[in-house]
mmCIF file of all heavy atoms in Angstrom:
data_model
loop_
_atom_site.group_PDB
_atom_site.id
_atom_site.type_symbol
_atom_site.label_atom_id
_atom_site.label_comp_id
_atom_site.label_asym_id
_atom_site.label_seq_id
_atom_site.Cartn_x
_atom_site.Cartn_y
_atom_site.Cartn_z
ATOM 1 N N ALA D 171 47.322 17.910 -127.870
ATOM 2 C CA ALA D 171 46.934 17.784 -126.415
ATOM 3 C C ALA D 171 45.481 17.937 -126.080
ATOM 4 O O ALA D 171 44.975 17.260 -125.239
ATOM 5 C CB ALA D 171 47.855 18.800 -125.565
ATOM 6 N N ASN D 172 44.876 18.808 -126.828
ATOM 7 C CA ASN D 172 43.477 19.017 -126.589
ATOM 8 C C ASN D 172 42.520 17.852 -126.986
ATOM 9 O O ASN D 172 41.378 17.844 -126.599
ATOM 10 C CB ASN D 172 42.978 20.266 -127.287
ATOM 11 C CG ASN D 172 43.060 20.204 -128.759
ATOM 12 O OD1 ASN D 172 43.741 19.335 -129.356
ATOM 13 N ND2 ASN D 172 42.403 21.065 -129.512
ATOM 14 N N GLN D 173 43.059 16.911 -127.575
ATOM 15 C CA GLN D 173 42.327 15.723 -127.956
ATOM 16 C C GLN D 173 42.669 14.537 -127.099
ATOM 17 O O GLN D 173 42.224 13.407 -127.272
ATOM 18 C CB GLN D 173 42.568 15.321 -129.436
ATOM 19 C CG GLN D 173 42.234 16.427 -130.424
ATOM 20 C CD GLN D 173 42.721 16.095 -131.822
ATOM 21 O OE1 GLN D 173 42.840 14.914 -132.171
ATOM 22 N NE2 GLN D 173 42.909 17.108 -132.645
ATOM 23 N N LYS D 174 43.496 14.759 -125.978
ATOM 24 C CA LYS D 174 43.962 13.647 -125.182
ATOM 25 C C LYS D 174 43.491 13.781 -123.750
ATOM 26 O O LYS D 174 43.211 14.859 -123.317
ATOM 27 C CB LYS D 174 45.528 13.553 -125.244
ATOM 28 C CG LYS D 174 45.985 13.258 -126.676
ATOM 29 C CD LYS D 174 47.561 13.376 -126.782
ATOM 30 C CE LYS D 174 48.063 13.017 -128.127
ATOM 31 N NZ LYS D 174 49.485 13.222 -128.268
ATOM 32 N N GLU D 175 43.504 12.665 -123.116
ATOM 33 C CA GLU D 175 43.170 12.622 -121.698
ATOM 34 C C GLU D 175 44.362 12.398 -120.890
ATOM 35 O O GLU D 175 45.236 11.487 -121.143
ATOM 36 C CB GLU D 175 42.153 11.449 -121.385
ATOM 37 C CG GLU D 175 41.799 11.328 -119.932
ATOM 38 C CD GLU D 175 40.773 10.171 -119.791
ATOM 39 O OE1 GLU D 175 39.671 10.263 -120.411
ATOM 40 O OE2 GLU D 175 41.098 9.259 -119.045
ATOM 41 N N PHE D 176 44.597 13.245 -119.860
ATOM 42 C CA PHE D 176 45.861 13.248 -119.127
ATOM 43 C C PHE D 176 45.697 12.803 -117.676
ATOM 44 O O PHE D 176 44.741 13.110 -117.062
ATOM 45 C CB PHE D 176 46.570 14.677 -119.124
ATOM 46 C CG PHE D 176 47.118 15.121 -120.447
ATOM 47 C CD1 PHE D 176 46.295 15.751 -121.383
ATOM 48 C CD2 PHE D 176 48.430 14.849 -120.755
ATOM 49 C CE1 PHE D 176 46.786 16.088 -122.600
ATOM 50 C CE2 PHE D 176 49.013 15.290 -121.920
ATOM 51 C CZ PHE D 176 48.192 15.879 -122.891
ATOM 52 N N THR D 177 46.730 12.165 -117.164
ATOM 53 C CA THR D 177 46.859 11.747 -115.722
ATOM 54 C C THR D 177 48.216 12.070 -115.232
ATOM 55 O O THR D 177 49.233 11.727 -115.872
ATOM 56 C CB THR D 177 46.473 10.265 -115.523
ATOM 57 O OG1 THR D 177 45.098 10.026 -115.947
ATOM 58 C CG2 THR D 177 46.535 9.930 -114.004
ATOM 59 N N ILE D 178 48.326 12.748 -114.138
ATOM 60 C CA ILE D 178 49.643 12.911 -113.466
ATOM 61 C C ILE D 178 49.795 11.995 -112.400
ATOM 62 O O ILE D 178 48.862 11.694 -111.557
ATOM 63 C CB ILE D 178 49.804 14.423 -113.018
ATOM 64 C CG1 ILE D 178 51.202 14.633 -112.476
ATOM 65 C CG2 ILE D 178 48.731 14.774 -111.936
ATOM 66 C CD1 ILE D 178 51.551 16.050 -112.214
ATOM 67 N N VAL D 179 51.050 11.447 -112.271
ATOM 68 C CA VAL D 179 51.401 10.510 -111.145
ATOM 69 C C VAL D 179 52.545 11.153 -110.397
ATOM 70 O O VAL D 179 53.597 11.591 -110.902
ATOM 71 C CB VAL D 179 51.906 9.199 -111.714
ATOM 72 C CG1 VAL D 179 52.264 8.231 -110.565
ATOM 73 C CG2 VAL D 179 50.856 8.547 -112.657
ATOM 74 N N GLY D 180 52.295 11.368 -109.051
ATOM 75 C CA GLY D 180 53.351 11.956 -108.206
ATOM 76 C C GLY D 180 53.153 11.714 -106.775
ATOM 77 O O GLY D 180 52.106 11.264 -106.307
ATOM 78 N N ASP D 181 54.208 11.951 -106.050
ATOM 79 C CA ASP D 181 54.223 11.758 -104.592
ATOM 80 C C ASP D 181 53.797 12.941 -103.785
ATOM 81 O O ASP D 181 53.610 12.818 -102.564
ATOM 82 C CB ASP D 181 55.583 11.196 -104.143
ATOM 83 C CG ASP D 181 56.661 12.344 -104.143
ATOM 84 O OD1 ASP D 181 56.900 12.836 -105.261
ATOM 85 O OD2 ASP D 181 57.145 12.690 -103.116
ATOM 86 N N SER D 182 53.813 14.120 -104.412
ATOM 87 C CA SER D 182 53.556 15.336 -103.636
ATOM 88 C C SER D 182 52.204 15.898 -103.783
ATOM 89 O O SER D 182 51.724 16.226 -104.984
ATOM 90 C CB SER D 182 54.534 16.422 -104.084
ATOM 91 O OG SER D 182 54.230 17.721 -103.555
ATOM 92 N N LEU D 183 51.439 16.026 -102.674
ATOM 93 C CA LEU D 183 50.115 16.659 -102.728
ATOM 94 C C LEU D 183 50.271 18.088 -103.117
ATOM 95 O O LEU D 183 49.451 18.630 -103.946
ATOM 96 C CB LEU D 183 49.457 16.495 -101.357
ATOM 97 C CG LEU D 183 48.837 15.164 -100.971
ATOM 98 C CD1 LEU D 183 48.429 15.274 -99.477
ATOM 99 C CD2 LEU D 183 47.720 14.812 -101.854
ATOM 100 N N ALA D 184 51.246 18.754 -102.574
ATOM 101 C CA ALA D 184 51.352 20.292 -102.822
ATOM 102 C C ALA D 184 51.780 20.688 -104.192
ATOM 103 O O ALA D 184 51.476 21.777 -104.578
ATOM 104 C CB ALA D 184 52.347 20.783 -101.765
ATOM 105 N N THR D 185 52.474 19.750 -104.918
ATOM 106 C CA THR D 185 52.849 20.122 -106.300
ATOM 107 C C THR D 185 52.267 19.353 -107.385
ATOM 108 O O THR D 185 51.609 19.849 -108.198
ATOM 109 C CB THR D 185 54.421 20.061 -106.353
ATOM 110 O OG1 THR D 185 54.863 18.717 -106.033
ATOM 111 C CG2 THR D 185 55.119 21.047 -105.443
ATOM 112 N N ASP D 186 52.325 17.987 -107.283
ATOM 113 C CA ASP D 186 51.836 17.135 -108.312
ATOM 114 C C ASP D 186 50.328 17.080 -108.285
ATOM 115 O O ASP D 186 49.692 17.274 -109.387
ATOM 116 C CB ASP D 186 52.372 15.699 -108.185
ATOM 117 C CG ASP D 186 53.897 15.649 -108.073
ATOM 118 O OD1 ASP D 186 54.550 16.338 -108.902
ATOM 119 O OD2 ASP D 186 54.443 14.985 -107.222
ATOM 120 N N ILE D 187 49.771 16.759 -107.127
ATOM 121 C CA ILE D 187 48.264 16.557 -107.154
ATOM 122 C C ILE D 187 47.609 17.931 -107.221
ATOM 123 O O ILE D 187 46.653 18.025 -108.004
ATOM 124 C CB ILE D 187 47.880 15.785 -105.824
ATOM 125 C CG1 ILE D 187 48.692 14.488 -105.687
ATOM 126 C CG2 ILE D 187 46.387 15.582 -105.844
ATOM 127 C CD1 ILE D 187 48.658 13.563 -107.013
ATOM 128 N N LEU D 188 47.981 18.897 -106.478
ATOM 129 C CA LEU D 188 47.378 20.185 -106.587
ATOM 130 C C LEU D 188 47.533 20.761 -107.996
ATOM 131 O O LEU D 188 46.580 21.383 -108.517
ATOM 132 C CB LEU D 188 47.999 21.180 -105.544
ATOM 133 C CG LEU D 188 47.439 22.554 -105.551
ATOM 134 C CD1 LEU D 188 45.907 22.600 -105.289
ATOM 135 C CD2 LEU D 188 48.111 23.449 -104.465
ATOM 136 N N GLY D 189 48.781 20.549 -108.579
ATOM 137 C CA GLY D 189 48.904 21.011 -109.997
ATOM 138 C C GLY D 189 47.930 20.420 -110.926
ATOM 139 O O GLY D 189 47.362 21.041 -111.829
ATOM 140 N N GLY D 190 47.815 19.023 -110.731
ATOM 141 C CA GLY D 190 46.915 18.340 -111.615
ATOM 142 C C GLY D 190 45.448 18.831 -111.429
ATOM 143 O O GLY D 190 44.636 18.933 -112.453
ATOM 144 N N ASN D 191 45.042 19.058 -110.133
ATOM 145 C CA ASN D 191 43.703 19.567 -109.836
ATOM 146 C C ASN D 191 43.491 20.918 -110.598
ATOM 147 O O ASN D 191 42.482 21.133 -111.225
ATOM 148 C CB ASN D 191 43.556 19.846 -108.370
ATOM 149 C CG ASN D 191 43.504 18.558 -107.527
ATOM 150 O OD1 ASN D 191 43.759 18.563 -106.286
ATOM 151 N ND2 ASN D 191 43.184 17.405 -108.190
ATOM 152 N N ARG D 192 44.484 21.836 -110.539
ATOM 153 C CA ARG D 192 44.361 23.133 -111.122
ATOM 154 C C ARG D 192 44.269 23.029 -112.718
ATOM 155 O O ARG D 192 43.667 23.830 -113.328
ATOM 156 C CB ARG D 192 45.528 24.049 -110.721
ATOM 157 C CG ARG D 192 45.498 24.431 -109.256
ATOM 158 C CD ARG D 192 46.739 25.238 -108.880
ATOM 159 N NE ARG D 192 46.672 25.770 -107.519
ATOM 160 C CZ ARG D 192 47.522 26.365 -106.918
ATOM 161 N NH1 ARG D 192 48.755 26.650 -107.462
ATOM 162 N NH2 ARG D 192 47.358 26.929 -105.667
ATOM 163 N N ALA D 193 45.011 22.000 -113.184
ATOM 164 C CA ALA D 193 45.057 21.785 -114.697
ATOM 165 C C ALA D 193 43.832 21.088 -115.197
ATOM 166 O O ALA D 193 43.594 20.921 -116.400
ATOM 167 C CB ALA D 193 46.340 21.119 -115.123
#
Side-chain angles (χ1 to χ4, degrees):
N172 62 344
Q173 301 172 25
K174 297 174 179 177
E175 181 178 299
F176 289 85
T177 297
I178 185 169
V179 181
D181 71 297
S182 171
L183 285 172
T185 58
D186 305 315
I187 306 308
L188 181 58
N191 292 160
R192 290 177 174 175

